[in-house]
Amino acid sequence: MIKSILTGTGLAAITCFTACNQGQKQPDANASSTLDAVAANVDSTVNPTQDFFDYANGGWIKRNPIPAEYSSWGIGNLVQEELYKRLRIINEKAVENPTDPISKKIAAFWTSGMDSVRINQDGIKPIEADLKAIDAITTIPQLVQVASKLNITTGAFCSLYIAQDAKNSDVIAVQLAQGGLGLPNRDYYFNTDARTTNIRNAYPGHVAKMLQFVGYDSTAAKKAAAGIIQLETSLAKNSRKLEALRDPEANYHKMAVTQLNKIAGNINWNEFIKQQGINKFADTIIVGQPEFYSNLSNAVKSQPLQTWKDYLKWNLINSASQHLSDTIANTDFAFYGTLLKGQDKQKPRWKRVLDAEESAMGEALGQLFVKEFFNTTAKKRYENLVEEIRTELKIRIEHLDWMSDSTKQKALYKLSKITKKVGYPDKWKDFTAMDIKEQSYHQNIEAAHQWWQNYQINKLGKPVDRNEWDMTPQTYNAYYNPSNNEIVLPAGIFTVPGKRDEELDDAIVYGYAGASTIGHEITHGFDDEGRQFDAAGNLKSWWTKDDEKKFNERAAVMVKQFNNYVVVDTLRINGKATLGENIADLGGILLGWEAFKKTDQYKKNEKIAGYTPSQRYFMGYSLGWLGHTKKESLARQVLTDVHSPAKFRVNGPFSDVDAFYEVYSVKPGDGMYRPDSTRVRIW
């Protein structure tokens, strides 16, 4: 993954692994900008040898402040702005003339989401039935039953999902992971820095405000919030840290459900799973973090039943808030949007509805998107580029001086078996059974949740569909899935706002798409996590012990490098948690560069807009990270994201690339300089 963490498809819980406009006016989707895609972004007051990110992107950043409704603003937002306009037109046309089942669903979803009058009048009416179910709980078995049903849409209690077995990729399995927290992750409950402490101190007050919407008076709400925080803190205490979650072997515990009942016996797991609608599955389950479930079981017995009921109501209103009245949605936003991310105001309703629709049935919209905006010529260009990048990694593996021949042969075999998916699926999902119709907005959201739940459940006991996509074509992102040994590259990731694909010179394409996307994703198959999966997608060691030791020693150099980068306040990048993404960034840059050197543009060495092809390559890569982020969101990213902030995804790996030193004449004493002995050398 490169632009964001992928945690699921649509509304289902699935595990996956892993320029532009110069003013406030958004680029015209139907006309080309006359500005050069990279030269127009440069800040000429910055020396590229001191801070390349600020040099390559600083001009654009100065002219494009972050809008009030966003916590960051950059190229991904520019792509999304074009998508918003296109998708709004699709929705409005569907409302005017719903000609088929899909357009009727699109029209119904859009209409219900845009009906603010009804949404505000309904208040908490859409969740009243669930609130009554919680009120009716009088025993632990009833608690578990209701918690399981609510877990599908709220994520309360824990994280249950259906995905490939990491050690047997031909099998779909029921899996459990830690979860159930209202703050972004466990560190928010314990870190002592001023920014995190301020958020933690504000959290009880926010929970109390939300509880008042579901009938608590102020005194009862304050008391209930205190109990909820105490409960969540106990769950957080036994939740693993971000970096610990990146060890696939340590987070894999296949066991019989009877064994899970032994280590977490206060919960009837057979019943919990059944309440999710899962009636047919093997008698085994894969548990990521057993200690979390032992603690959850203890809490079910030791915590007062009323505290659990308060906790379930909090999770219900918290998860539903953005689909309820403006008053509720704005209260939710004040905490999660403003305090945690630095956003000053909500996106307009129409954009929020489109975001929800993208999660609900984005692939249906994607069918319309690719017909108009990603032609067969563009698809072929990037399919060819994948093979060029694959060839360069093959050459680099063959010439590694630190890896044994036996491991090299297995690495080369795995590389040859990586499947590429470019642009859009060959087969589209069928959303016919999704019960989107003329009903409340919240009901349509719930219907989408249930459809995705059923969609995942229906995979159990069937062959793995390795042709499935876990992103929509219009997504500005990409991913590597180790269980399928595949790279998935949606059409949206190749978009440069305001430019048609044929207008982009190879230098930009090889940096922007070849390095930051294709090379990045291929390298994920050989990063600290991906390298533990074999060519068939199974978690299985294929390295010699000596080669593994050498890899870890070289990776440790990168951990140390990124641990030293201060992002905001005193918060530093977590080098271990971000290691996989940092390795993939560096690998992508090296592979893209080697492939670009074989192009006619590189060989002719003719300047465009005053820059050499080599300079434009590094500028093209930097274009992929064009943008800036508010401090609140940066602080959150450092604690919760396995990706380094954008600036360090440019400056960090560039300082390890010898070709960058040659192109820009980087010397000792320059900000981008690292002594040769401390540069990362892996792939």
Side-chain angles (χ1 to χ4, degrees), residues 292 374 563:
F292 174 84
F374 195 74
N563 278 343

Side-chain angles (χ1 to χ4, degrees), residues 213-440:
F213 290 122
V214 294
Y216 292 69
D217 63 34
S218 59
T219 301
K222 185 177 180 179
K223 179 181 178 181
I228 291 167
I229 307 309
Q230 186 270 329
L231 172 57
E232 288 188 3
T233 302
S234 73
L235 297 178
K237 186 176 181 180
N238 286 276
S239 298
R240 296 185 185 180
K241 287 180 171 288
L242 182 64
E243 59 268 29
L245 294 173
R246 294 197 63 257
D247 184 337
E249 188 68 51
N251 289 277
Y252 181 96
H253 305 273
K254 181 182 276 189
M255 62 183 69
V257 176
T258 53
Q259 183 182 354
L260 178 60
N261 281 326
K262 289 180 180 178
I263 67 172
N266 293 317
I267 299 169
N268 183 328
W269 289 103
N270 300 81
E271 186 65 22
F272 188 90
I273 293 168
K274 185 179 179 180
Q275 288 296 328
Q276 296 263 326
I278 304 171
N279 296 309
K280 182 181 70 173
F281 73 102
D283 60 357
T284 58
I285 192 165
I286 298 171
V287 181
Q289 304 78 33
E291 71 280 6
F292 174 84
Y293 284 89
S294 294
N295 179 59
L296 176 64
S297 173
N298 292 336
V300 165
K301 186 175 182 179
S302 64
Q303 295 285 343
L305 190 60
Q306 184 58 48
T307 298
W308 278 110
K309 293 168 71 171
D310 296 336
Y311 168 82
L312 291 180
K313 287 187 178 182
W314 152 238
N315 275 269
L316 179 61
I317 187 68
N318 187 34
S319 63
S321 60
Q322 288 298 313
H323 317 133
L324 301 176
S325 71
D326 287 338
T327 302
I328 296 173
N330 290 337
T331 302
D332 169 80
F333 177 80
F335 183 78
Y336 287 104
T338 302
L339 185 61
L340 262 72
K341 298 180 182 179
Q343 295 167 257
D344 293 325
K345 68 177 183 179
Q346 290 256 44
K347 291 180 185 178
R349 174 171 290 279
W350 68 272
K351 287 185 178 180
R352 286 183 279 145
V353 173
L354 288 178
D355 288 342
E357 188 178 50
E358 171 72 10
S359 295
M361 49 182 171
E363 197 169 291
L365 298 170
Q367 296 178 50
L368 303 174
F369 170 79
V370 298
K371 286 180 181 178
E372 186 172 355
F373 302 112
F374 195 74
N375 60 34
T376 55
T377 301
K379 182 178 174 69
K380 184 64 176 175
R381 181 181 195 179
Y382 294 107
E383 287 177 336
N384 291 341
L385 187 51
V386 170
E387 295 309 319
E388 292 178 37
I389 297 294
R390 192 198 304 260
T391 297
E392 294 306 328
L393 182 52
K394 177 178 182 293
I395 293 170
R396 293 187 74 89
I397 291 173
E398 290 172 339
H399 290 84
L400 288 176
D401 60 4
W402 59 270
M403 180 179 281
S404 69
D405 287 340
S406 63
T407 304
K408 279 185 182 180
Q409 292 308 310
K410 293 173 183 176
L412 291 170
Y413 180 68
K414 177 177 181 177
L415 175 64
S416 72
K417 293 298 182 181
I418 291 178
T419 300
K420 65 176 183 289
K421 296 179 179 177
V422 179
Y424 48 86
D426 294 324
K427 180 182 178 181
W428 301 94
K429 292 180 177 70
D430 182 0
F431 293 94
T432 303
M434 186 178 285
D435 193 26
I436 303 295
K437 58 188 179 184
E438 293 183 7
Q439 56 189 355
S440 76

Side-chain angles (χ1 to χ4, degrees), residues 9-12 100-106 356-367 425 427-437 447-452 455-456 468-469 471-474:
T9 300
L11 296 164
D100 56 72
I102 286 298
S103 64
K104 289 178 181 178
K105 292 182 191 298
I106 290 173
E357 188 178 50
E358 171 72 10
S359 295
M361 49 182 171
E363 197 169 291
L365 298 170
Q367 296 178 50
K427 180 182 178 181
W428 301 94
K429 292 180 177 70
D430 182 0
F431 293 94
T432 303
M434 186 178 285
D435 193 26
I436 303 295
K437 58 188 179 184
H449 273 293
Q450 191 60 58
W451 185 92
W452 281 104
Y455 177 81
Q456 299 305 322
E468 182 183 16
W469 282 53
M471 280 184 178
T472 67
Q474 62 270 28

Side-chain angles (χ1 to χ4, degrees), residues 3 19-27 37 41 53 57-84 347 351 476 492-493 495-498 512 622-630 633 646-647:
K3 305 301 181 188
C20 309
N21 177 37
Q22 298 306 306
Q24 292 303 302
K25 182 181 178 182
Q26 296 304 321
N41 303 324
F53 178 88
N57 296 327
W60 184 92
I61 290 172
K62 287 180 178 179
R63 293 186 292 271
N64 291 270
I66 300 172
E69 63 265 34
Y70 291 90
S71 59
S72 62
W73 190 249
I75 189 164
N77 301 102
L78 300 183
V79 172
Q80 187 60 53
E81 288 301 308
E82 290 191 0
L83 289 174
Y84 277 141
K347 291 180 185 178
K351 287 185 178 180
Y476 188 72
I493 193 60
T495 304
V496 174
Y512 182 71
S622 302
L623 175 63
W625 305 111
L626 177 76
H628 51 141
T629 303
K630 292 187 176 181
S633 189
K647 180 171 185 171

Side-chain angles (χ1 to χ4, degrees), residues 609-620:
Y611 298 95
T612 68
S614 295
Q615 291 171 331
R616 290 177 68 81
Y617 169 80
F618 288 103
M619 295 164 75

